[in-house]
Amino acid sequence: MAKITVQAHEQVLVYRDGVFESQLEPGRYAVRQARRTRQERIDLRIRQLSVSGQEIFTADGVTVRVTAIARWKVADPRAFVERAEAPEELLHVALQLAVRDAVGRHELDELLRPEGRDAVAAALTAPVQAEATDLGITVLDATVRDLGVLGELRVALAETAVERQRGRAALERARGEAAALRSLANSAKLLDDHPALATLRLVQAAADSGATVVLTPDGLPSRT
C-alpha cells in the first residue's frame, strides 16, 4: 500500500486492469501500488485556450486575422480521460471552427464596431460547449480578443482614421472661431447701444498701457 494526497483543485481516478475502480476526492488515501493499477490526476481549475492568428474571410470577402480565447474547466473527469485521446486538441479545433463560422457571418464594417464583436462573442460559446460536453468539459465563455485587417486595407483604414481625426480637429477649430465671432458681435452691439461703455473701455485700455488720457471739450478722451 502507498499513501497519496489529492489536492483541493484535483481528483484522482484509479483504474485496475484497465477498468475504472474509484474516484478520489481531495484528501489522503492508501492505495495499492501494483503494475495492474493506474492513477490519473485531473486538474479541475479553470484553464484558458487560445486560437491565434486565424485568417478568415468576412461576409463581404475581406480577410481578417482573428485571435479568440475560451475559458474552460473539466466537469466530468472520467469523460475527460476516457472519451478522447487529446480532449484539449479537440476543444481547440471546435473553437477554431466556431470562430470561422461566427466571423464569416458578418461584414467588415460590422466587425470593426464594438457591437459587431460582441455579436461574434455571443455566437461562440454555445457551439463550442456543444462539442465539449461529450469530452467532460464545461466552456465558461469564449470571445474574440483581437481582430485585425491585412495588407493595403489596413493602410487604408489607418489613413481613414487619421483623416477622421483631422476633420474633428478642424470642426473644433471652426466652432471655436464661430464662438469668438459671436462674442465679438455681441460686444460690438453692446458698445453701439451704450456709447458710455465704449468711452470707459478706451480709458481702461489707455490706463493699462500707461498712456496719457486728455479729455476734449466735448467730453471724449484722446490718447497721447
Side-chain angles (χ1 to χ4, degrees):
M1 303 293 286
K3 299 288 186 179
I4 68 168
T5 300
V6 182
Q7 303 298 328
H9 62 270
E10 64 183 6
Q11 289 184 356
V12 173
L13 305 180
V14 180
Y15 292 85
R16 182 175 177 80
D17 295 332
V19 178
F20 174 76
E21 186 175 84
S22 62
Q23 182 168 318
L24 306 181
E25 301 290 336
R28 187 168 177 80
Y29 300 87
V31 297
R32 287 174 293 184
Q33 289 288 88
R35 293 180 181 178
R36 298 163 56 190
T37 301
R38 175 171 61 92
Q39 300 170 14
E40 294 279 355
R41 288 184 179 268
I42 309 301
D43 194 324
L44 302 179
R45 291 176 291 188
I46 295 174
R47 313 184 203 186
Q48 180 171 289
L49 174 68
S50 176
V51 173
S52 59
Q54 280 201 104
E55 295 187 5
I56 304 172
F57 283 109
T58 64
D60 51 346
V62 178
T63 303
V64 294
R65 181 176 287 123
V66 180
T67 296
I69 56 175
R71 294 190 309 129
W72 64 280
K73 64 180 182 179
V74 175
D76 184 342
R78 282 193 66 185
F80 186 75
V81 170
E82 297 175 6
R83 292 181 184 173
E85 180 181 2
E88 292 187 49
E89 293 182 9
L90 295 179
L91 182 63
H92 188 275
V93 172
L95 180 58
Q96 278 185 318
L97 296 177
V99 170
R100 287 185 177 277
D101 182 65
V103 171
R105 294 174 182 269
H106 297 270
E107 296 185 354
L108 178 61
D109 286 345
E110 296 177 285
L111 295 173
L112 293 178
R113 294 195 293 268
E115 55 269 25
R117 290 193 294 273
D118 290 343
V120 171
L124 289 181
T125 303
V128 177
Q129 179 58 64
E131 294 292 331
T133 299
D134 288 341
L135 303 175
I137 292 171
T138 293
V139 178
L140 303 177
D141 54 55
T143 188
V144 172
R145 185 178 66 187
D146 298 310
L147 186 148
V149 294
L150 307 177
E152 295 180 359
L153 183 57
R154 180 176 183 178
V155 176
L157 289 175
E159 291 176 350
T160 300
V162 171
E163 291 301 324
R164 187 182 298 117
Q165 293 300 323
R166 287 175 178 169
R168 289 176 180 173
L171 179 59
E172 289 301 320
R173 286 196 299 271
R175 287 174 177 171
E177 292 172 358
L181 290 174
R182 283 196 299 270
S183 178
L184 288 174
N186 291 336
S187 298
K189 186 176 184 304
L190 183 64
L191 293 176
D192 287 342
D193 294 342
H194 303 281
L197 290 177
T199 301
L200 178 60
R201 184 69 187 99
L202 182 57
V203 171
Q204 289 176 335
D208 290 341
S209 64
T212 300
V213 178
V214 179
L215 294 177
T216 63
D218 56 5
L220 295 175
S222 63
R223 295 178 61 185
T224 61

